[in-house]
Structures are given as structure tokens and as C-alpha cells.
Amino acid sequence: MNMTMEMPAPLGWHTLLTTWRPVLGWDLAVLVALAAYLYAVHRAGEWPLHRTAVFCMGLVVLEVSVSSAIGVYAHPLFWMHMVQHLLLIMVVPILLVAGQPLRLTVSAFGDRADRLLRSRAAGWLFSVPIGFGVYAVTIAGTHLTPFMQLMLTHGYVHVLEQVLYLVSGFLLFLPLIAHEPVRWPLAYPLRLGVLAMAMAVDTFVGVILMMTVREPFPGYVAMHQSWQPSPIQDLHGGGAIMWAGGDSLMLILMFAVALEWMTDHARRDSLGGWLESVRANALAGIGGDTGPDGAPLRRSADVDKDPGALDAYNAMLAKLSEHPE
């Protein structure tokens, strides 16, 4: 039973900065992931260095979150558990996804890997409904049900929870922040909408925890030590971290996605492309015919070079400048 486990020393700056407890399973998982990624980089031949760097950074943050003081004190302190939660479900997956492991797999192993990743089964696995659904159920299910008490009394459930956080975050962010070879890529406006909904889930659960007036998990009461905050203060602190910390991270991510949308001229769903399509439709509605690329004006990439559209636009301006005598 985890409640009888040896309690760590009182938390202070020294223990926070110096405590380290290796976790064999996670250590092996990090080493395997690192070796697999570097092997794929070797096979690919050419691969952006910054992609490798952010993926490796994600593995470092994963190791820190489970083996440092964060991992050691995540069990007796709910607020520290919430710090680990945010690292595992948001920070680590975002960094791993930014390393574009699926695109690297295609670069390393060719068309066979590409066909597999674009298959219907993989398409559903990496789809937004699955990612958001797993994320929302994980957030609510591990904090608003007896699951937390089960985690406090059974060590394997704690490990399962950590894996669940990592997987649910990866499935959520993969189709939202990366340009991976998935079956159903998502337009930028929809990405922002899904991120906003995910933020609402974090807000809802965090506020519920902050409004709770009694400690709902007896395991924290049983493990309470004199140096710790009271169980209800600990619970409220964890809820505040989920609300403020989770929302802050999600807002930063939404800003990054919006910035990419505005600057991504290569994608048809970019903000620049959308504005250009609006202008093309307006010119087509007043007499434009085809664009300089020979395509109908509504689908033309550059309407400024279409003589028909510009003549129609000038005619419209002349008509607007007329004054009744």
C-alpha cells in the first residue's frame, strides 16, 4: 500500500533542488525513445537539428518530472502532483510533438510508413475527437472520481496515471500543433477552437477542486505530516495550479498557433490565404473572370494580375464616384 511508503524529508529549497530518485521503468522508456529517434534521424539522412533538440528536451523534462523532487513529492503533496500533471500532460507532449516523430518516421522508412500513418485506423487514432475525448476524460476522471484515492493506495495505478497523462496529451496536441502526415489535417481556426475547449476542461476541474470544502481523498489525510499544508489547503493549491497554470500554458500555445496561422502562406487555410480568397470572391462578384494562372478567379492564387478583375474593380469605383445631377 502506498500510504505506508517511506515519507520524504520535509520539502524545502535544499530538498527541492537536490532530491533525485531514479525510476527504472521511466529511465528505460526515455532511453528507448531517445535511441529510436536518433536511429530514425540517422536513417533519414537530413533532418532539422531543432526538431531533434526539442524532442530531446521533452525527454529531459519527462525524466525530471518523474525522478526529481517533483516526482518524489507528487505522491504526498497534491499541489506537487498537479505540477507533475501539467508537465506530463502538456509540456512533455508539446515538446515531443514539436519534434515531429511521425514525419521523421516517414523520412526514415519511406512510403510504407507513410501509408500506415495515413491509414484509416491511424487516422482515427490521431484524430481530434479521439484526442480531445481522451484528454477530457483523463482530466476529469483522475481528479473528480475515486481514481485519486486508488492511486494513493496502489503504486501501479500511479504509474498508469502518469502514462495516461503522457498519452492523452500526445494524442490531443499531435493534430493541433504539428504538421504531421496524418489522414485528416485540421484547419487553423478549428485548432484554436479545440485548444479553447481543452482549456475549458482544465478551468472547470481546477475551479471544482478549489471550491471543494472537504478533502475528498482520505489517502492525503492519512499521509499528512506536520510540515505539509492542511489537506484542504493542499487540495485548493492543486486546483489553483491546474486552473492558472493549465490555462496559462494553453493560452501561450494558442498564441503560437495563431501566429503560425498568420505566417503560414504555404497552407490554403492560413489567414493570409483566407483573406486573399475573400478578396478574390469580391472581385469575382463584380465581373472578374480568371486569374493569371488560368484558374477561375475564386481559386486564383494572385488576383492582382487579373486584368478582368481589375477592370471590374475600377468600373465599380467609377460608378461609386458618380453623383446624381
Side-chain angles (χ1 to χ4, degrees):
M1 300 289 284
N2 276 14
M3 287 186 294
T4 62
M5 67 180 292
E6 181 181 354
M7 293 294 292
L11 180 62
W13 284 111
H14 181 265
T15 52
L16 179 64
L17 297 176
T18 61
T19 300
W20 190 273
R21 184 181 297 172
V23 181
L24 181 60
W26 282 113
D27 294 342
L28 290 175
V30 167
L31 290 176
V32 169
L34 177 61
Y37 191 91
L38 294 179
Y39 174 70
V41 170
H42 174 72
R43 279 187 59 97
E46 294 184 4
W47 184 251
L49 180 61
H50 70 278
R51 296 292 181 190
T52 303
V54 294
F55 187 88
C56 293
M57 190 181 302
L59 295 179
V60 170
V61 176
L62 171 58
E63 185 68 24
V64 169
S65 67
V66 296
S67 296
S68 72
I70 296 173
V72 173
Y73 288 90
H75 198 76
L77 290 170
F78 184 75
W79 72 264
M80 188 68 86
H81 165 88
M82 199 61 69
V83 171
Q84 186 188 62
H85 161 111
L86 291 179
L87 290 175
L88 291 176
I89 206 168
M90 295 189 70
V91 178
V92 174
I94 289 171
L95 292 172
L96 296 182
V97 167
Q100 294 190 333
L102 301 189
R103 189 167 296 280
L104 173 60
T105 301
V106 172
S107 298
F109 299 100
D111 293 340
R112 185 175 182 181
D114 186 60
R115 288 193 300 270
L116 177 62
L117 291 174
R118 296 186 188 276
S119 66
R120 185 173 296 275
W124 278 110
L125 176 63
F126 299 127
S127 67
V128 170
I130 294 296
F132 176 77
V134 172
Y135 181 86
V137 170
T138 297
I139 294 290
T142 58
H143 294 99
L144 302 182
T145 71
F147 181 93
M148 187 64 64
Q149 177 64 21
L150 194 64
M151 181 274 293
L152 292 170
T153 56
H154 296 81
Y156 71 90
V157 179
H158 192 187
V159 177
L160 175 63
E161 180 191 44
Q162 293 172 333
V163 173
L164 193 58
Y165 287 158
L166 193 61
V167 171
S168 61
F170 187 86
L171 291 178
L172 173 70
F173 295 119
L174 180 72
L176 300 180
I177 68 172
H179 299 302
E180 292 281 45
V182 295
R183 186 181 181 92
W184 298 302
L186 198 65
Y188 283 108
L190 295 179
R191 297 185 191 195
L192 293 173
V194 175
L195 288 172
M197 291 191 297
M199 184 171 66
V201 174
D202 294 337
T203 301
F204 173 77
V205 175
V207 170
I208 290 295
L209 293 173
M210 292 178 63
M211 294 176 62
T212 302
V213 296
R214 293 182 180 179
E215 172 58 64
F217 311 118
Y220 282 113
V221 178
M223 290 189 296
H224 185 261
Q225 302 289 309
S226 59
W227 57 268
Q228 298 176 248
S230 69
I232 194 65
Q233 290 176 329
D234 190 22
L235 181 74
H236 290 170
I241 290 174
M242 171 177 274
W243 180 17
D247 284 11
S248 297
L249 290 172
M250 203 69 77
L251 284 172
I252 293 172
L253 190 59
M254 291 174 69
F255 176 79
V257 171
L259 183 63
E260 184 181 16
W261 179 21
M262 290 187 291
T263 58
D264 189 358
H265 302 293
R267 294 178 64 87
R268 293 182 62 186
D269 59 1
S270 67
L271 180 58
W274 178 77
L275 292 173
E276 184 69 9
S277 67
V278 170
R279 194 161 68 97
N281 282 326
L283 291 176
I286 61 173
D289 185 13
T290 60
D293 50 9
L297 184 60
R298 294 178 189 272
R299 299 193 299 272
S300 177
D302 186 356
V303 299
D304 290 322
K305 297 181 181 179
D306 175 44
L310 294 179
D311 289 344
Y313 182 65
N314 290 331
M316 182 191 70
L317 292 179
K319 186 175 181 179
L320 291 176
S321 67
E322 294 176 356
H323 298 281
E325 297 181 1

